[in-house]
Amino acid sequence: ANKIKRVQDAGAVGVVMANNVEGSLVFMGAVSGDHATLVEVPSVFVSKATGDLLERHLHDDAGVFVQLASPSGRVPLLVDGEPQHGVSGHSQWRYYELFTPPGADDVTVSVTPDFGNPDLFVRVRDYPDTLRYTWSSESEGGDTIHIAADDPDLCRQCALVVGVLGQASDTSYTLTYSVSETLLTLQGGVPVSEQSVPAGEYRYYRMWVGSTESAITVSVTGDGDVDLFFSFTNRRPKDGVKGKDYQKKAAGRNTCWTVDCGQTIMGGDAIHVKGGDDIICKPESGVRHSPCLAYVGVTSQRNSTFTLLYSVDESTAPTRLRDAVALAVAQPTAGDY
């Protein structure tokens, strides 16, 4: 969504985003901290083969004509926090689809009747009915299904199909889907200030990493000696065994001004993961895939208030220097390379 927003700001009326690697497409789900709610132009995600084909014909005399439209016959898509109004006849079904977020979050689906008695059914990747469903609620009046993040039946980055049944009569209703995030999602380049952590405890965050070639920097500054622990495999990274509890850390003495002395700087810490590093988007299964989520834990030996900043650079190519030509460079983020 952030890439589409940048192209939209540059004047685009629509966006065709092509995958940069071969293989099947992944679901590009929105997470808090990105710009999904600010995107107003239509957009579509296509395979690398399709993108290469379009690119080859961009300079043809006839050009390339692209028409974006919703797939015919597709059920309505539920969006987090946006109510959908619907009507269902007696013993008739109305179906909707939602995509679960990539993180371990609680999901809630609720239906509120204007009149009648709608019942609610949810099924993973398929249409539910009264005999085949994953979750259901058949109370009198309104119904709510709350799916906990640790529910073994809840998949991540997959489709859930919601069915509303007019059980005993015609019904008019409002359907709402919401996500309760268990971790705050950091947005690239946007500092999160006025965060606090009690002495000896941890605060956890997550961030969206779009490519295995992305260079990642997480920095923290505060009024105490705050330390950072970072991982792609552990959603609660903390001090302990490297590779299990964390993959990278910035923790140590608070007596120098540069990240070269243990990645600990005066008043804060910084972690840098270079683009293409083997740990990027590599889960415990060992199969790398992107986009993915990374996780960071912040702790301190005393009560501390801090500001956390996540930045990502998807361009890992070095800047070319010319003999005797000065190059002005701004380096605003501690820990950046």
Side-chain angles (χ1 to χ4, degrees):
N2 296 339
K3 294 177 182 178
I4 296 173
K5 175 64 166 52
R6 290 198 294 269
V7 179
Q8 173 184 285
D9 292 343
V13 296
V15 179
V16 178
M17 180 178 292
N19 203 357
N20 64 336
V21 294
E22 302 287 352
S24 59
L25 297 178
V26 296
F27 168 60
M28 302 294 283
V31 296
S32 71
D34 72 6
H35 291 125
T37 58
L38 303 178
V39 172
E40 298 177 350
V41 298
S43 60
V44 64
F45 185 40
V46 301
S47 67
K48 185 177 186 301
T50 299
D52 291 344
L53 178 63
L54 292 174
E55 187 175 12
R56 285 198 300 270
H57 291 283
L58 280 177
H59 301 292
D60 291 355
D61 292 339
V64 175
F65 176 77
V66 176
Q67 182 176 3
L68 301 181
S70 298
S72 60
R74 182 168 179 172
V75 298
L77 181 66
L78 295 178
V79 179
D80 180 15
E82 295 187 10
Q84 288 260 12
H85 301 283
V87 175
S88 179
H90 173 53
S91 298
Q92 292 184 347
W93 289 89
R94 287 291 303 275
Y95 290 107
Y96 304 82
E97 189 175 37
L98 65 89
F99 288 94
T100 58
D105 299 319
D106 296 346
V107 174
T108 301
V109 183
S110 61
V111 61
T112 303
D114 299 318
F115 62 83
N117 180 31
D119 289 336
L120 193 58
F121 299 81
V122 179
R123 190 177 181 187
V124 176
R125 300 188 182 94
D126 204 352
Y127 291 88
D129 56 36
T130 55
L131 298 177
R132 293 165 294 185
Y133 56 84
T134 313
W135 303 274
S136 70
S137 178
E138 303 176 61
S139 304
E140 289 292 329
D143 287 286
T144 297
I145 294 175
H146 179 77
I147 309 171
D150 58 358
D151 190 314
D153 291 324
L154 179 60
C155 52
R156 299 192 183 103
Q157 287 187 274
C158 71
L160 301 184
V161 182
V162 179
V164 179
L165 173 64
Q167 179 68 335
S169 64
D170 295 349
T171 181
S172 174
Y173 56 86
T174 300
L175 184 65
T176 305
Y177 147 65
S178 62
V179 174
S180 300
E181 293 195 327
T182 54
L183 297 178
L184 178 64
T185 306
L186 303 178
Q187 177 181 337
V190 179
V192 179
S193 58
E194 298 183 1
Q195 302 295 291
S196 61
V197 60
E201 297 185 12
Y202 285 82
R203 286 287 303 273
Y204 296 104
Y205 304 83
R206 66 186 179 187
M207 62 215 71
W208 190 249
V209 179
S211 168
T212 56
E213 299 302 317
S214 299
I216 303 161
T217 302
V218 183
S219 59
V220 61
T221 54
D223 60 4
D225 185 12
V226 285
D227 296 328
L228 288 174
F229 296 87
F230 181 90
S231 180
F232 281 95
T233 58
N234 184 10
R235 294 181 178 85
R236 299 289 191 276
K238 61 184 183 298
D239 199 8
V241 179
K242 184 175 182 180
K244 177 182 177 183
D245 297 305
Y246 70 92
Q247 291 178 300
K248 287 185 177 290
K249 71 176 182 178
R253 66 190 188 279
N254 190 17
T255 56
C256 67
W257 289 96
T258 75
V259 297
D260 294 327
C261 52
Q263 288 192 308
T264 297
I265 58 177
M266 187 65 70
D269 281 294
I271 289 174
H272 180 79
V273 184
K274 66 180 181 180
D277 193 300
D278 186 57
I279 72 169
I280 297 178
C281 293
K282 187 175 183 179
E284 292 178 312
S285 64
V287 180
R288 298 179 73 184
H289 63 87
S290 62
C292 67
L293 285 171
Y295 304 89
V296 63
V298 182
T299 188
S300 179
Q301 295 305 309
R302 64 184 180 88
N303 295 341
S304 298
T305 302
F306 60 90
T307 296
L308 194 63
L309 177 65
Y310 158 60
S311 59
V312 58
D313 182 3
E314 296 181 356
S315 174
T316 57
T319 301
R320 182 178 297 276
L321 298 177
R322 296 183 178 181
D323 183 23
V325 177
L327 179 67
V329 179
Q331 191 82 331
T333 305
D336 267 353
Y337 284 79

